[in-house]
Amino acid sequence: MAAVTAGVAVLASGLLAILALITAPRAEGYCLDQPEAYPAFGVSGWHGEQLENAATVVRTARELGFARDGQIVGVMAAMGESSLRNLDHGDWETSGVVNPDGSRTTSIGLSQQQDWWGSAAERMDPVTASSMFFTRLRRVPDWQTLQPSHAINRVQINADPEHYARFADDAAAVVDALSGPCPSTGSGTQTGSGTQTGSGTQTGSGTQTG
């Protein structure tokens, strides 16, 4: 009986090792612009639509000149606000959260932005929503010296400045996974993460005031 039990344990251990190899993200990462190549098993628990929305955040950050640190901050924010989903509702609908003045919150979209950020169409467009986030992040003095969660809090103005900290490791893993090389475009050049310069779920993060 002991021999059988030991044999089963060895077999189970071997199967787990194989499973770990199969589901581990590729060391070289994935091409940002090829969502069909993203791993079906996800990255650190984030899958499908969530990875595609993360890719939008990363791409927007790169286009605005934010390096890896800024890309991670942007993905952290979206993880903490919407679980990387482009939601058409927010804190008011799910939890009855109100603003400090007692008015209902109007948060929607990937970044859960209230109506003073822009029109509903703008806030529901992941590219525009991400652009608005990074534009405000750039205005935060010395944001790179702040704890990432605190930098996001300065942008989102939510109730808890530590709310986003729990997503730091996941966001870094996702950004790195989506920074792999892309196939040749045919002109002899490669697209991909490139060299960047510049600065950088559950629904909602608490009451927003700005």
Side-chain angles (χ1 to χ4, degrees), residues 3-200:
V4 172
T5 301
V8 170
V10 170
L11 178 60
S13 176
L15 289 174
L16 287 174
I18 293 171
L19 182 62
L21 288 173
I22 293 174
T23 59
R26 293 197 309 237
E28 70 273 19
Y30 302 86
C31 173
L32 185 73
D33 298 319
Q34 291 187 325
E36 68 278 4
Y38 297 169
F41 46 81
V43 176
S44 294
W46 305 88
H47 308 81
E49 167 200 2
Q50 295 170 309
L51 290 181
E52 291 185 36
N53 284 328
T56 295
V57 175
V58 172
R59 185 182 301 107
T60 302
R62 290 178 183 173
E63 291 173 353
L64 293 174
F66 286 85
R68 178 178 179 271
D69 56 351
Q71 295 165 27
I72 291 173
V73 166
V75 173
M76 281 176 64
M79 285 177 170
E81 291 291 351
S82 66
S83 286
L84 286 174
R85 299 188 187 281
N86 197 30
L87 303 175
D88 63 359
H89 58 275
D91 288 334
W92 169 259
E93 291 80 2
T94 59
S95 309
V97 175
V98 298
N99 290 310
D101 63 2
S103 62
R104 57 170 287 180
T105 53
T106 55
S107 307
I108 57 173
L110 188 62
S111 299
Q112 289 289 285
Q113 293 155 329
Q114 295 210 56
D115 54 12
W116 52 76
W117 281 79
S119 68
E122 289 173 326
R123 290 177 286 146
M124 284 299 295
D125 176 54
V127 174
T128 304
S130 296
S131 295
M132 292 192 294
F133 173 84
F134 286 114
T135 297
R136 289 203 180 192
L137 178 63
R138 200 190 298 277
R139 294 176 189 161
V140 175
D142 301 318
W143 67 263
Q144 301 99 321
T145 66
L146 300 174
Q147 291 292 328
S149 186
H150 295 181
I152 299 169
N153 175 257
R154 297 282 184 90
V155 175
Q156 298 295 103
I157 317 296
N158 63 303
D160 179 11
E162 304 298 336
H163 172 74
Y164 309 93
R166 76 190 84 169
F167 302 105
D169 290 343
D170 280 5
V174 168
V175 168
D176 290 342
L178 298 180
S179 297
C182 292
S184 172
T185 60
S187 60
T189 59
Q190 272 200 334
T191 59
S193 58
T195 301
Q196 297 296 320
T197 60
S199 40

